[in-house]
Amino acid sequence: MNILVTGGAGYIGSHAVRKLRETGHSVVILDNLSYGHRESVPNDIPFYHVDLRETDRIETILREHQINAVMHFAALISVGESVEKPLLYYGNNTLGAVSLLEAMERAGVRRFVFSSTAAVYGEPEETPIFETTQRHPINPYGRSKWFVEQILQDIAVSDPQFGFVVFRYFNVAGAGEGGLIGEDHRPETHLIPLVLFAAMGKRDNITVFGTDYPTPDGTCIRDYVHVDDLVTAHVLGIEALRGGDARFYNLGIGRGYSVREILDAAKNVTGTEIPTVFGSRREGDPARLFANSDKVRKELGWEPQHTNIEEIIASAWRWHIAHPDGYNIL
Ligand code: UFG
């Protein structure tokens, strides 16, 4: 298949690009490089420095490359920033997706894989979280994605040949086997890279956000899924996709780890005491988020290969040690 990958220079998109090539697909990348890294993209892949809202240019790219399907990773991802700048998030994540979908409609492209988030569930009423668990996003980031999920359903009603897959990501972590690409968010807000920065001495310490949650050790529980497993699900999804499909899948391994468990695992992986400060809760953090991922396993045959948290952290550690300043040293 000829696949357009938006956000192909980002953390997850760059892993997806490699996986798609390995599985025999032909890839074209679109990225506005607001957060992505040009260095994460192999030189022989067509790359367009384009914003999602440039509908006409995207239509031309879709036609020129005879694109059959779009994988849409490009998005802003910071919950806190979305609360401060909601219009930025609705503009980029929601209107950006609408513009992309409009370009697809004009060019006759009717296969779409969308990166959604566990944030659409807000403070879930049940754990594990099923795809049918009520969606009550509690911040603009979650709503910016939830709106797109609903827009996709409307398009599917209007065009029976349109088919889409929505993947709701839990906590994506780790780095690819080859050690060439990894996570380099600026600023970084995610737990595992920050813990590893503390282990490397790149920051003084890590602050644990809250120790009084109703969990066994008082810290928040999350479901960490390895980025390579995550992108494998996307390849399975796009290959299974047919006109008329409206598929929704949770992507998590179905097991939660607390912040303290992550710290212990990181200590074992790095052989270093992680300098830790115990702080207060971060606003908007649910106590526990972990997936039931039976649906994606059954329907797409997805089987995550990296289910050991130390192994996931070790893959991230290899990337950070080899690239202490991220993509700056490439
Ligand atoms: N945490 C700390 N200290 C830090 C950073 C994080 O204790 O310095 C804790 C958080 O409170 C949370 C856990 O580590 O309990 C994981 O936090 P992350 O920021 O790594 O990830 P989140 O679970 O907050 O966010 C993830 C995705 C978001 C998505 C959200 C859905 O990264 O994109 O899940 O709720 F919106």
Side-chain angles (χ1 to χ4, degrees):
M1 250 185 278
N2 297 333
I3 300 171
L4 179 75
V5 176
T6 75
Y11 167 47
I12 300 171
S14 60
H15 286 80
V17 164
R18 282 168 167 76
K19 188 72 75 186
L20 284 167
R21 292 233 294 189
E22 277 166 34
T23 48
H25 297 288
S26 160
V27 177
V28 174
I29 296 176
L30 186 155
D31 200 300
N32 70 3
L33 294 179
S34 60
Y35 288 95
H37 304 278
R38 185 72 181 83
E39 304 87 329
S40 68
V41 175
N43 279 329
D44 58 340
I45 295 189
F47 177 89
Y48 292 92
H49 187 180
V50 172
D51 190 87
L52 290 171
R53 282 155 288 191
E54 296 179 72
T55 318
D56 294 345
R57 281 188 74 191
I58 298 176
E59 180 188 349
T60 306
I61 295 165
L62 293 170
R63 289 184 190 281
E64 267 178 16
H65 292 275
Q66 300 182 335
I67 295 294
N68 313 110
V70 173
M71 267 191 200
H72 180 35
F73 295 99
L76 299 174
I77 58 160
S78 166
V79 171
E81 186 183 48
S82 81
V83 174
E84 283 159 29
K85 300 176 184 168
L87 292 179
L88 183 67
Y89 275 67
Y90 293 124
N92 192 85
N93 294 1
T94 311
L95 300 182
V98 170
S99 162
L100 174 64
L101 287 159
E102 180 168 352
M104 287 173 59
E105 185 178 86
R106 288 191 211 157
V109 181
R110 289 162 142 162
R111 299 286 179 274
F112 192 69
V113 178
F114 179 58
S115 304
S116 191
T117 169
V120 300
Y121 298 111
E123 298 261 8
E125 285 150 13
E126 57 183 2
T127 42
I129 297 170
F130 291 82
E131 286 79 0
T132 48
T133 298
Q134 279 301 308
R135 271 78 68 205
H136 286 307
I138 55 170
N139 51 58
Y141 168 69
R143 276 188 286 273
S144 74
K145 294 278 187 174
W146 171 227
F147 292 149
V148 178
E149 291 195 11
Q150 293 171 91
I151 290 166
L152 290 172
Q153 285 178 294
D154 289 339
I155 296 173
V157 170
S158 75
D159 176 3
Q161 291 309 311
F162 184 77
F164 70 88
V165 188
V166 166
F167 288 114
R168 296 182 181 139
Y169 302 169
F170 284 68
N171 290 60
V172 189
E177 294 295 320
L180 287 175
I181 54 173
E183 191 167 9
D184 183 5
H185 292 122
R186 300 181 197 181
E188 187 54 78
T189 60
H190 294 114
L191 179 65
I192 290 177
L194 291 178
V195 167
L196 297 178
F197 291 165
M200 291 162 75
K202 228 182 125 171
R203 55 185 288 143
D204 293 340
N205 52 51
I206 178 81
T207 302
V208 174
F209 294 145
T211 51
D212 59 349
Y213 282 96
T215 57
D217 68 17
T219 65
C220 286
I221 292 174
R222 294 289 182 273
D223 183 336
Y224 295 88
V225 54
H226 192 281
V227 63
D228 270 344
D229 284 328
L230 185 100
V231 298
T232 296
H234 287 64
V235 175
L236 295 170
I238 211 158
E239 289 178 348
L241 195 52
R242 300 287 174 267
D245 282 358
R247 298 166 178 254
F248 294 86
Y249 299 119
N250 286 338
L251 280 183
I253 65 168
R255 183 194 187 309
Y257 291 93
S258 72
V259 174
R260 284 189 209 265
E261 286 175 317
I262 296 294
L263 287 166
D264 288 344
K267 180 182 162 192
N268 292 340
V269 168
T270 62
T272 311
E273 283 294 336
I274 316 286
T276 305
V277 173
F278 293 96
S280 51
R281 293 183 180 197
R282 182 172 68 178
E283 206 179 321
D285 274 342
R288 48 175 85 221
L289 283 179
F290 58 95
N292 176 295
S293 48
D294 289 353
K295 191 164 177 253
V296 64
R297 291 170 195 260
K298 267 193 214 119
E299 293 188 9
L300 294 183
W302 183 64
E303 199 50 58
Q305 302 299 305
H306 308 269
T307 51
N308 176 309
I309 192 65
E310 289 192 10
E311 195 199 316
I312 294 176
I313 294 173
S315 75
W317 181 236
R318 283 192 291 277
W319 153 255
H320 289 299
I321 285 294
H323 304 85
D325 294 314
Y327 284 103
N328 280 351
I329 60 155
L330 280 181

